[in-house]
Amino acid sequence: MNRRVTSIESLILLALLSSGAHAVDDLEWSEPVRIELPAPTRQISIKPGADLATLVERYQLESAQQLSLGQAGTVLEINATDQQWAGLEQSLCNDAAVTACDTATCQSIQFEAEVDPGPRGDSGAIRGRIVRSTPEALLTLPGEADIETDAAAGQCRVEPLADLLDEPATPGLNQDLMLDLDLVEQAGSRGRTRSYEVDLAKQFNATGGADISGQNLPSDSSDYQLELAASCGTVSVPLDCVKPAFIPGLIVALVDAGAAGQVATQNGLAVVREVTLDSTGESIAVFATPSDLPTALTGLARDNRVRLAQREYVYRTTAEAAEAETTATGAPVRYSDPFARFTYGPDRTGARLLQAGVTGELPLIAVIDAGVDGVHPEFDARVTVQDATGSPLTPSAHGTAVAGIIAAAANNGVGIYGAAPTARILALQACLPKQPNSLSARCRTSTLLKALDLAMAANARIINMSLAGPPDPLLERYLRLALQQDRLVIAGAGNGGPHAKPGYPAAIDGVLAVTAVDAADKHYAAANQGDYIDLAAPGVEILSPTPDGRYPPLSGTSMATAQVAGVAALLLQRDASLGARALRSALIGTAADLGAPGKDPIFGYGVVDGCAAAKQLQLSDRGGCPARPDEATDSSATGGDRAVGP
């Protein structure tokens, strides 16, 4: 593991750096993100008494929303691109049952910037803005003030949207677009106006799709949203889907053990932090540079004591407070925990059935996250807490919630029960909340590396990473080491929405990438989509423990990732000899298919099914799981003598 960078590798890296681009920025992830704006809404007014079913079938309007106007008839509302509408309009709008066809009024965002005419005289306009994301809501119980909603209400003014495109643009025509964007520094108040250069590849389609890439945007983009509009649609994506978020002025490097001081002196840098990685004997060094980053990185690329140097990237935990408390699913209650009836995740994944048959060794799960409240009554001394940030250990909402979804105790008369109620947790503080009691927390490349090092040193069989960020060569290097050691690494797909780029580390080959669904198997709207998604799991309105003793409903791929980690722990508890590769293969191969047949970019292979995985691994004869799927709700299947909650 102490291999030096070869001269050829140095030349390649030097060429990348001297060209003005950081090595990571040349990865596919940082290419222009594709934003598909929603198709415009069309309304079709239907005469009273018309045969609606026949009309819907004739014009294939099964997806239309129906609005009854009583004696005035019915309105059908559909979303259709200009091309789709052109194929429908002439026949549909002239049908005897139709009284009118209208395109719904567009409403969008307030700032417009013109695109300069190109060499062919093409012209057009796009509205866009960069806004600071709504401040993270402090966790509240149902009935308390809805901080998040109140903040969002005052964030910006919405104005009518005029036609944004004068005429269709020529595909492939690239133009520089200068947007004087109102940067909203915090909810309810406007900051100063700044100019951001955005390279706009004018490849608009009928729905207003556009390729964009960011230049001169905020260095730490993790708090910002990019919002664009064209035609009748608007779309918002996290700004770090356009440009990776990093800490300005900092470099993280993998160096020879103890060499950080000498490297810094000879390269005009200052050592911020040096941490030894026991797993490889190397050091992670964080340097501050007074010069521009490309110049500093070029110098480090020439230093034979440096394996790899890059920006200090920012990752975010992937959860948000749900708007309302989750509802009961109708599944039979087995535990005495007060909120057991609302704990639908273990029922949907088969974890509750698996719990009846586990008697083996307790597996160790490393939760790389924000701080966990190790003395919370849900954990009954099964949680060990360590720090990877150099900061005091501080219990957080996100870390405690993730650990609780995995391993909250059952039948202890407190709160909920976890997917694997007896599992052992190694809680590694690699992320720090942005503010006290905040659900959102930030992690850095260097802290994640140290946390992985601690997880491997402790021989954690499962590593849970409910966080997402950009591609990161250093992080990938150590994750691959963990995978080579036959550890199961599970990560959240990310909460960037359908237009976001792949979330890392979930998108690394071999990592189990998890998206979220609700109690009805509906996909979580804020989750990323992409071919890297492997599994889905319950992650919407999940009651979760927090350090203050409350159990707010939380949503996100963070919650779903924890559910899968719990199922994997139960399978390992049945057979400690299981390898991670076999376990991963079983979880993927037995998932309950959702969406398009087979693997798809929304649900992956489908919802995790612990009982089906146990059967494939020949572990289903050890109690708990039913012989037939229709036995899953039989009270005898999970031990009907367990106490029933209120």
Side-chain angles (χ1 to χ4, degrees), residues 365-503:
I365 305 171
V367 174
I368 297 178
D369 210 292
V372 173
D373 183 3
V375 297
H376 195 288
E378 290 284 21
F379 298 136
D380 53 34
R382 288 177 290 109
V383 172
T384 301
V385 182
Q386 287 185 264
D387 173 67
T389 68
S391 301
L393 285 167
T394 306
S396 75
H398 191 277
T400 304
V402 168
I405 292 169
I406 297 173
N411 269 347
N412 64 341
V414 178
I416 63 167
Y417 65 96
T422 59
R424 295 181 299 130
I425 299 290
L426 173 61
L428 298 169
Q429 179 177 269
C431 314
L432 297 175
K434 292 194 290 185
Q435 57 180 315
N437 205 32
S438 170
L439 186 59
S440 179
R442 294 181 185 178
C443 332
R444 300 183 181 185
T445 299
S446 57
T447 60
L448 293 176
L449 291 178
K450 182 55 183 174
L452 279 170
D453 181 60
L454 292 171
M456 289 186 282
N459 197 28
R461 300 289 305 278
I462 299 168
I463 300 175
N464 187 98
M465 303 182 75
S466 291
L467 48 91
D472 186 322
L474 275 172
L475 182 60
E476 181 170 354
R477 181 187 184 114
Y478 274 81
L479 276 168
R480 292 208 178 281
L481 179 59
L483 293 169
Q484 289 167 7
Q485 294 175 356
D486 207 25
R487 307 183 195 282
L488 182 66
V489 181
I490 309 170
N495 293 350
H499 307 289
K501 294 180 182 180

Side-chain angles (χ1 to χ4, degrees), residues 102 313 391 584 606 645:
D102 298 296
Y313 285 107
S391 301
R584 183 181 188 277

Side-chain angles (χ1 to χ4, degrees), residues 192-447:
R192 61 188 181 276
T193 299
R194 300 180 183 177
S195 294
Y196 294 99
E197 290 182 358
V198 178
D199 180 75
L200 179 66
K202 284 196 62 184
Q203 297 180 356
F204 291 108
N205 55 29
T207 62
D211 289 330
I212 60 170
S213 65
Q215 304 169 14
N216 301 331
L217 299 174
S219 296
D220 183 0
S221 54
S222 61
D223 274 346
Y224 295 88
Q225 295 281 325
L226 173 65
E227 297 188 355
L228 294 178
S231 184
C232 274
T234 183
V235 71
S236 175
V237 293
L239 187 56
D240 53 13
C241 290
V242 179
K243 178 180 182 180
F246 60 90
I247 305 298
L250 292 187
I251 292 173
V252 58
L254 185 64
V255 302
D256 289 346
Q262 295 177 353
V263 170
T265 299
Q266 295 179 18
N267 289 276
L269 307 173
V271 179
V272 176
R273 187 179 181 215
E274 182 179 11
V275 179
T276 301
L277 300 177
D278 295 333
S279 54
T280 61
E282 299 163 312
S283 290
I284 283 293
V286 179
F287 298 117
T289 173
S291 61
D292 62 284
L293 280 174
T295 299
L297 288 167
T298 300
L300 291 174
R302 297 170 177 156
D303 195 318
N304 63 8
R305 294 163 296 187
V306 179
R307 313 283 188 283
L308 183 62
Q310 62 177 61
R311 300 180 191 271
E312 175 83 301
Y313 285 107
V314 175
Y315 289 75
R316 293 180 293 169
T317 50
T318 52
E320 63 182 8
E323 294 182 358
E325 188 170 344
T326 187
T327 56
T329 63
V333 178
R334 297 287 181 264
Y335 292 124
S336 63
D337 307 86
F339 300 139
R341 71 181 70 184
F342 302 117
T343 309
Y344 75 90
D347 278 295
R348 181 63 185 92
T349 64
R352 182 169 57 79
L353 297 172
L354 284 171
Q355 291 167 12
V358 291
T359 56
E361 178 185 355
L362 300 175
L364 180 64
I365 305 171
V367 174
I368 297 178
D369 210 292
V372 173
D373 183 3
V375 297
H376 195 288
E378 290 284 21
F379 298 136
D380 53 34
R382 288 177 290 109
V383 172
T384 301
V385 182
Q386 287 185 264
D387 173 67
T389 68
S391 301
L393 285 167
T394 306
S396 75
H398 191 277
T400 304
V402 168
I405 292 169
I406 297 173
N411 269 347
N412 64 341
V414 178
I416 63 167
Y417 65 96
T422 59
R424 295 181 299 130
I425 299 290
L426 173 61
L428 298 169
Q429 179 177 269
C431 314
L432 297 175
K434 292 194 290 185
Q435 57 180 315
N437 205 32
S438 170
L439 186 59
S440 179
R442 294 181 185 178
C443 332
R444 300 183 181 185
T445 299
S446 57
T447 60

Side-chain angles (χ1 to χ4, degrees), residues 119-159:
R120 303 184 187 182
D122 302 89
S123 62
I126 186 169
R127 291 190 174 193
R129 65 175 183 162
I130 297 173
V131 298
R132 193 174 183 89
S133 303
T134 302
E136 177 65 37
L138 301 182
L139 296 180
T140 58
L141 287 175
E144 295 185 343
D146 190 342
I147 299 173
E148 189 171 16
T149 301
D150 292 343
Q155 185 174 7
C156 64
R157 186 176 74 257
V158 177
E159 296 181 350

